[in-house]
Amino acid sequence: MMGGTRRKLLCLDLDGTLYGPDHQVSKRNAVAVAAAAARGFTVALCTGRGPTMYCPTARELGVPGGLYLVGYNGAVVFHLDEDGHPTTVLFETKMSSAQVNKVVQLADGLAVEFDVRDVQYARSFPDEAAALLQRHSALVRSSPIVVDTLPEVGVGPGLCQPNKLTVLTADPDGFVATANATPGFADDGIGVVTGGPFWVETLNLKADKADGVSLVCGAIGCSLSDVVYFGDGANDATSLAASGIGIAMANAKPEARAASTRVSEWSNDDDAVAREIEALLHTDAAACT
């Protein structure tokens, strides 16, 4: 049963899932998420985005008491208050100097973003690099601090340990292929993956979205069989497969479709999340009568 006294977890990918084509949450999707929360669901956003980028707040979604964020593809797991501020850290990737340098060196001449909790730094160059940084910032609604030299990485005053790096490039697949062809590149546990049409993201190979979902389950006292997970990307596949109900969008990548419990007949453009939640709540209510 979806409602009742048993606590369950509603996990929502953002881009390509909860977000429509305008990268916003539609009113219908927000109303459906609020209805699930009112029926006892804890809500978790599971996304490649993080606190430096626009993510809908619990207040915007009508979820009292805050929500969880499995961010940066599992690199961080936070509880956020109703206004989106981290209150509890369940897990946090902190990249070392060596892990950062190998990516930055490969990204010579390209714009690079450093995400450190809720602060983003960016190194850029003229022309294409600057244009891609501007496009990406507008897309994810971030406000990077643009610097000539990226902050020094390490532990101590004035130093930082990024949670994630983003490299902006017109050829993300080529960048990833070059990295993967570099002997030992991912041996330290940090890899890179194509994040979008013009960017590459670092990935903690030992902590993906599914690991983050498991941590949230432990925090609220439920099991993975109590999870309803919505996603569309290859980075959602392990979570879709591990969850009690894993619903892939009609627009989902092949990996997500194959891993899901079922594929929705609707895409994110059609408010698939709302339609599926409405159906699940209706079925649950009928079972209780």
Side-chain angles (χ1 to χ4, degrees), residues 101-122:
N101 287 339
K102 71 175 186 181
V103 177
V104 172
Q105 288 170 7
L106 199 61
D108 185 39
L110 301 174
V112 178
E113 297 171 346
F114 260 43
D115 290 308
V116 187
R117 287 278 180 99
D118 56 357
V119 177
Q120 184 181 83
Y121 300 94

Side-chain angles (χ1 to χ4, degrees), residues 120-132:
Q120 184 181 83
Y121 300 94
R123 179 201 71 181
S124 187
F125 295 96
D127 303 323
E128 183 179 67
L132 291 180

Side-chain angles (χ1 to χ4, degrees), residues 2-9 40-42 68 219-223 226-227:
M2 188 165 179
T5 58
R6 188 173 183 178
R7 298 198 66 178
K8 286 196 173 185
L9 180 62
F41 264 72
T42 298
Y68 286 89
I220 68 173
C222 75
S223 67
D226 298 321
V227 174

Side-chain angles (χ1 to χ4, degrees), residues 103-175:
V103 177
V104 172
Q105 288 170 7
L106 199 61
D108 185 39
L110 301 174
V112 178
E113 297 171 346
F114 260 43
D115 290 308
V116 187
R117 287 278 180 99
D118 56 357
V119 177
Q120 184 181 83
Y121 300 94
R123 179 201 71 181
S124 187
F125 295 96
D127 303 323
E128 183 179 67
L132 291 180
L133 176 60
Q134 185 176 19
R135 283 179 62 192
H136 192 247
S137 299
L139 179 67
V140 301
R141 294 169 62 181
S142 63
S143 300
I145 300 170
V146 180
V147 295
D148 293 329
T149 303
L150 289 168
E152 187 175 354
V153 177
V155 180
L159 305 179
C160 73
Q161 291 182 282
N163 305 129
K164 188 188 82 166
L165 303 187
T166 301
V167 178
L168 305 178
T169 169
D171 184 18
D173 292 341
F175 186 96

Side-chain angles (χ1 to χ4, degrees), residues 13-259:
D13 172 54
L14 293 181
D15 295 281
T17 302
L18 186 63
Y19 286 167
D22 59 353
H23 297 279
Q24 302 290 323
V25 181
S26 70
K27 182 177 180 180
R28 185 172 181 179
N29 277 351
V31 168
V33 172
R39 293 281 287 273
F41 264 72
T42 298
V43 176
L45 305 179
C46 303
T47 175
R49 297 185 182 223
T52 62
M53 309 168 195
Y54 172 69
C55 297
T57 66
R59 193 178 305 281
E60 290 172 322
L61 294 174
V63 178
L67 49 72
Y68 286 89
L69 174 68
V70 178
Y72 303 139
N73 293 317
V76 299
V77 185
F78 299 148
H79 181 268
L80 308 178
D81 66 18
E82 291 187 359
D83 295 312
H85 304 300
T87 60
T88 305
V89 177
L90 300 183
F91 177 76
E92 184 175 15
T93 297
K94 295 183 177 181
M95 294 176 66
S96 69
S97 178
Q99 290 171 329
V100 169
N101 287 339
K102 71 175 186 181
V103 177
V104 172
Q105 288 170 7
L106 199 61
D108 185 39
L110 301 174
V112 178
E113 297 171 346
F114 260 43
D115 290 308
V116 187
R117 287 278 180 99
D118 56 357
V119 177
Q120 184 181 83
Y121 300 94
R123 179 201 71 181
S124 187
F125 295 96
D127 303 323
E128 183 179 67
L132 291 180
L133 176 60
Q134 185 176 19
R135 283 179 62 192
H136 192 247
S137 299
L139 179 67
V140 301
R141 294 169 62 181
S142 63
S143 300
I145 300 170
V146 180
V147 295
D148 293 329
T149 303
L150 289 168
E152 187 175 354
V153 177
V155 180
L159 305 179
C160 73
Q161 291 182 282
N163 305 129
K164 188 188 82 166
L165 303 187
T166 301
V167 178
L168 305 178
T169 169
D171 184 18
D173 292 341
F175 186 96
V176 172
T178 299
N180 290 339
T182 303
F185 183 85
D187 288 353
D188 59 7
I190 296 294
V192 291
V193 63
T194 297
F198 58 90
W199 69 90
V200 170
E201 301 170 338
T202 57
L203 189 68
N204 186 334
L205 300 176
K206 299 178 181 178
D208 66 3
K209 287 187 182 184
D211 295 309
V213 172
S214 294
L215 286 174
V216 176
C217 285
I220 68 173
C222 75
S223 67
L224 285 168
S225 63
D226 298 321
V227 174
V228 179
Y229 190 102
F230 290 89
D232 76 301
N235 60 352
D236 295 306
T238 54
S239 299
L240 287 164
S243 299
I245 301 175
I247 302 176
M249 303 293 94
N251 53 287
K253 300 293 185 184
E255 299 91 336
R257 297 170 73 93

